[in-house]
């Protein structure tokens, strides 16, 4: 398992961060809420609902487990990286929209989502840290 961890460290790290975002949204409510919600902002507040949080946990666990056990069947590592990229891109857009409509500086969640999405794109482009180049 240690060799799989060294080979797929980036996929496991992405999975743990996705999992932690899901756990955060399970325990914290009204992170994206605002008093004067218009239709678009009320749409983005659904990204902190429990069903989306559970989906984040499932995607995070898929990344971690496919990385730790180096699952190559059905391209599980690539599929989990794509799922994580889709989830983080949705949350990046949500956090940017939230920051644009609230006063103050850019929030840490937006900067972190940018870093995570960049790491996912770099992992997908270079096939490093997730075992994509090895069979």
């Amino acid at each position: 398992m240690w060799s799989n961890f060294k080979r797929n460290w980036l996929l496991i790290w992405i999975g743990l961060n996705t999992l932690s975002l899901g756990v955060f949204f399970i325990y914290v409510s009204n992170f994206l809420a605002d008093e004067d919600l218009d239709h678009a902002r009320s749409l983005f507040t659904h990204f902190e609902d429990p069903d989306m949080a559970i989906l984040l946990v499932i995607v995070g666990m898929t990344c971690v487990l496919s990385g730790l056990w180096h699952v190559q069947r059905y391209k599980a590592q690539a599929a989990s990286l794509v799922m994580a990229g889709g989830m983080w891109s949705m949350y990046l857009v949500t956090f940017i929209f939230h920051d644009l409509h609230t006063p103050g500086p850019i929030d840490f969640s937006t900067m972190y989502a940018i870093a995570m999405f960049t790491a996912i794109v770099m992992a997908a482009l270079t096939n490093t840290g997730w075992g994509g180049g090895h069979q």
Side-chain angles (χ1 to χ4, degrees), residues 40-110:
R41 281 191 265 183
S42 66
L43 174 70
F44 282 114
T45 58
H46 290 292
F47 282 103
E48 64 181 357
D49 287 345
D51 52 348
M52 290 298 287
I54 290 171
L55 186 60
L56 279 168
V57 169
I58 290 170
V59 169
M61 286 302 296
T62 303
C63 290
V64 170
L65 294 177
S66 67
L68 281 177
W69 278 282
H70 194 64
V71 179
Q72 291 293 320
R73 179 174 256 178
Y74 306 118
K75 307 253 185 226
Q77 291 179 340
S80 61
L81 192 66
V82 168
M83 288 187 298
M87 294 300 289
W88 278 102
S89 66
M90 285 189 313
Y91 278 97
L92 176 61
V93 169
T94 302
F95 293 152
I96 288 173
F97 188 82
H98 182 262
D99 284 345
L100 290 175
H101 289 87
T102 55
I106 295 175
D107 200 23
F108 176 74
S109 59
T110 305

Side-chain angles (χ1 to χ4, degrees), residues 111-128:
M111 293 185 288
Y112 195 72
I114 291 170
M116 284 301 301
F117 186 70
T118 304
I120 292 169
V121 169
M122 294 306 294
L125 291 177
T126 61
N127 284 345
T128 57

Side-chain angles (χ1 to χ4, degrees), residues 11-68:
L11 180 64
I12 295 168
W13 183 75
I14 289 167
L16 289 173
N17 284 297
T18 306
L19 177 69
S20 65
L21 182 66
V23 170
F24 173 78
F25 279 127
I26 288 173
Y27 287 108
V28 174
S29 60
N30 297 327
F31 180 74
L32 298 172
D34 199 359
E35 282 77 31
D36 55 338
L37 293 175
D38 59 1
H39 181 66
R41 281 191 265 183
S42 66
L43 174 70
F44 282 114
T45 58
H46 290 292
F47 282 103
E48 64 181 357
D49 287 345
D51 52 348
M52 290 298 287
I54 290 171
L55 186 60
L56 279 168
V57 169
I58 290 170
V59 169
M61 286 302 296
T62 303
C63 290
V64 170
L65 294 177
S66 67
L68 281 177

